[in-house]
Amino acid sequence: SYEQEIKAFQPADAAELEAYRIKFLGTKGIVKQIFGEMKNVPVEQKKEAGQVLNAFKQLAESQYEAFKHLTENSQKKGPSIDETLPGTKLPMGTRHPLRVVENEIVSIFEKLGFSVATGPEIEDDWHNFTSLNMPEHHPARDMQDTFYVAQNPDWVLRTHTSSVQARIMEQGNLPVRVICPGRVYRNETISARAHCFFHQCEGLYIDKNVSFADLKQTLYYFVTEMFGPDTKVRFRPSYFPFTEPSAEMDISCTVCGGKGCNLCKHTGWVEILGCGMVHPNMLRNFGIDPEVYTGFAFGMGVERITQVKYQVNDLRLYSQNDVRFLRQFQSS
Ligand code: PHE
């Protein structure tokens, strides 16, 4: 019967579907023909016959609808997209300048055999201060305006990455040679020259017979890799509780070459880091015998190094995320 034919209908393409439409639903199609026969049906059967016919018509139509997508597809065929057009370029993100410089610092020290170590940004008093030869009431604590964590008076936002130095010494695997990059926090009013957070890279080397000459040579190598072979260094005596002797290191001004500019405040020198020989008290705090082992440590600000390298003269630029600033580091 037609009903079975319709139910079994499975068109393979639009042409078969069109043939079906003409056969059943066209103006001279079977549905129209059967409806034409209605006039011959006796009045008392008209209602029943009408229902049967309508059901048949609906079946024929619904089957057509079910395969209608075949005709739509065939209409979409043709050159609607030009596959030879070049693609749309998506905008490329850039690395943050601080990350660029941090990566560079780390990779220079990796060449010297240092490996990377990190630690928590919320620190306890022991790792941030006390173990670093800064017991309670030590005046040097005032050098670093500390953020305390409200939940626990023993917790601080670390004020320097020297806390990672402490954690590495605590592990007690000697000799050790690590570089520790990370974010640090100080309670300072935000301005062009100060921010409440910034980034440091700490270095630590402990072994038998490590001397101040090793410290100087290591940092000199770093400077020539970072700023070029003509850069000069000088060390000035300084004070840090966890190193003795301590020094600050300057490099010859990379902007004016010593002629005088804003970066070096017309002195020809730019301070870039603090350093020194690890204090015997700190070694003892971690059960390391200062008669057997010696070591050096240094810490530099990544913002500072970036400022020298790229002449970024306002610390706030690093965290404002202004794309006009960030895009200047596109090629890095
Ligand atoms: N922790 C010091 C600071 O934040 C830097 C430093 C690190 C100095 C290691 C000496 C040795 O200023």
Side-chain angles (χ1 to χ4, degrees):
S1 74
Y2 287 136
E3 202 178 311
Q4 277 165 344
E5 186 182 336
I6 290 170
K7 281 183 178 162
F9 179 57
Q10 283 279 0
D13 54 27
E16 280 185 35
L17 184 68
E18 181 61 3
Y20 167 92
R21 191 189 63 80
I22 292 167
K23 181 174 178 184
F24 289 98
L25 302 167
T27 38
K28 288 179 184 146
I30 288 159
V31 170
K32 275 273 157 57
Q33 279 174 36
I34 301 176
F35 268 92
E37 300 293 324
M38 277 292 280
K39 59 182 187 291
N40 303 325
V41 176
V43 187
E44 61 281 8
Q45 289 174 23
K46 266 205 166 44
K47 193 181 166 198
E48 201 190 336
Q51 283 171 350
V52 173
L53 267 185
N54 270 325
F56 177 72
K57 186 185 169 199
Q58 264 168 30
L59 175 70
E61 278 173 356
S62 70
Q63 195 67 329
Y64 177 73
E65 290 299 322
F67 292 103
K68 193 144 182 209
H69 59 270
L70 289 173
T71 65
E72 281 160 7
N73 274 357
S74 72
Q75 276 160 14
K76 271 190 200 148
K77 264 188 202 147
S80 57
I81 48 163
D82 180 353
E83 289 168 6
T84 64
L85 277 174
T88 322
K89 265 198 181 167
L90 293 172
M92 196 59 164
T94 56
R95 274 189 212 285
H96 193 280
L98 292 177
R99 185 67 77 190
V100 171
V101 169
E102 182 190 281
N103 286 347
E104 199 172 337
I105 296 169
V106 165
S107 73
I108 292 169
F109 284 102
E110 277 176 344
K111 279 192 258 179
L112 292 173
F114 284 72
S115 51
V116 174
T118 54
E121 291 182 15
I122 298 177
E123 253 313 351
D124 51 44
D125 185 281
W126 169 253
H127 292 101
N128 194 79
F129 290 125
T130 306
S131 70
L132 292 158
N133 204 28
M134 299 161 87
E136 216 186 331
H137 307 305
H138 192 289
R141 287 188 178 217
D142 296 341
M143 287 161 61
Q144 313 189 341
D145 295 295
T146 310
F147 282 118
Y148 287 85
V149 178
Q151 284 82 350
N152 187 333
D154 194 46
W155 290 348
V156 300
L157 298 185
R158 68 178 176 197
T159 59
H160 51 185
T161 42
S162 302
S163 58
V164 187
Q165 192 194 137
R167 287 183 174 275
I168 291 297
M169 287 166 73
E170 187 175 58
Q171 287 171 8
N173 302 320
L174 298 180
V176 66
R177 212 164 2 177
V178 289
I179 183 92
C180 318
R183 181 175 286 187
V184 302
Y185 300 83
R186 289 186 198 179
N187 189 2
E188 295 198 41
T189 311
I190 296 170
S191 70
R193 307 168 55 81
H195 209 291
C196 58
F197 64 79
F198 57 100
H199 300 76
Q200 289 188 331
C201 255
E202 184 100 355
L204 173 70
Y205 178 27
I206 302 177
D207 202 348
K208 290 171 182 155
N209 301 317
V210 175
S211 69
F212 201 89
D214 296 319
L215 168 62
K216 286 174 83 174
Q217 192 56 44
T218 301
L219 292 178
Y220 181 62
Y221 173 79
F222 164 72
V223 165
T224 53
E225 287 288 297
M226 193 72 181
F227 298 105
D230 297 333
T231 321
K232 295 185 186 69
V233 300
R234 78 176 184 191
F235 290 80
R236 283 176 292 105
S238 184
Y239 174 77
F240 299 101
F242 32 90
T243 48
E244 180 60 35
S246 303
E248 277 166 327
M249 190 182 81
D250 301 339
I251 61 171
S252 54
C253 185
T254 52
V255 172
C256 65
K259 288 187 204 75
C261 68
N262 283 340
L263 178 68
C264 62
K265 297 195 202 84
H266 300 276
T267 63
W269 295 96
V270 181
E271 183 201 322
I272 62 161
L273 57 79
C275 59
M277 301 306 292
V278 179
H279 199 292
N281 284 353
M282 185 172 175
L283 293 170
R284 277 187 216 103
N285 280 342
F286 292 103
I288 301 166
D289 185 349
E291 298 298 326
V292 182
Y293 283 100
T294 50
F296 66 71
F298 57 87
M300 65 184 91
V302 181
E303 277 82 349
R304 179 73 173 154
I305 304 287
T306 311
Q307 177 187 16
V308 176
K309 224 174 144 86
Y310 296 111
Q311 281 104 63
V312 180
N313 54 14
D314 189 330
L315 274 177
R316 292 168 292 194
L317 285 166
Y318 293 123
S319 50
Q320 280 164 339
N321 279 338
D322 185 332
V323 288
R324 291 170 301 180
F325 171 70
L326 297 173
R327 281 196 187 128
Q328 295 178 51
F329 301 89
Q330 199 99 33
S331 57
S332 313

